[in-house]
Every structure is written in C-alpha cells, then in structure tokens.
Amino acid sequence: AVMTCKEYVFKFTSGQLDGAPLDERLQAKLHIAICKYCRAFTRNDAKLDAMLADYKADLTRPDRNDV
C-alpha cells in the first residue's frame, strides 16, 4: 500500500522513520518521490531546523551583547 500524506507527515515529524523497518522507509521515499507537497514539506522542515539551530547558536554565543 502507498503511504498517504497524513501518514508520511506524522511519521516524519515524530521521528518514526528513523530506524524504521526497510519497507517503511522505502514507502516514505516512494511517497516523497511522487508527492510534491510532502517533498516541499520535508524541505521546509529542514530549513526551519537550520534556522532554529542558527538562532539557538546566536542566543548562546558567549560574546552576545544584550542591551
């Protein structure tokens, strides 16, 4: 069975695809290969993670000048 968008987003965002069985990971790869919306969601999630990591690094920088 083909993975639905709802299933993909839930499993992706909850981390259930990390360490999932091979068939489930392949279903997810197949889904994002055919679904432009979930591909965009995955890209946007990665960008958001990077932005939040940069923001956290900036907040915890020792030379930060809070005035």
Side-chain angles (χ1 to χ4, degrees), residues 17-34:
L17 291 175
D18 301 330
L22 180 60
D23 64 323
E24 194 170 321
R25 287 182 283 140
L26 288 174
Q27 285 179 14
K29 291 285 186 189
L30 175 62
H31 181 82
I32 61 172
I34 61 176

Side-chain angles (χ1 to χ4, degrees), residues 29-63:
K29 291 285 186 189
L30 175 62
H31 181 82
I32 61 172
I34 61 176
C35 180
K36 67 180 182 179
Y37 302 107
C38 287
R39 274 196 310 276
F41 178 85
T42 303
R43 277 194 309 272
N44 289 339
D45 185 72
K47 289 177 187 176
L48 181 59
D49 283 347
M51 289 170 61
L52 290 172
D54 290 345
Y55 182 65
K56 180 180 179 184
D58 186 52
L59 287 177
T60 58
R61 207 177 64 226
D63 62 334

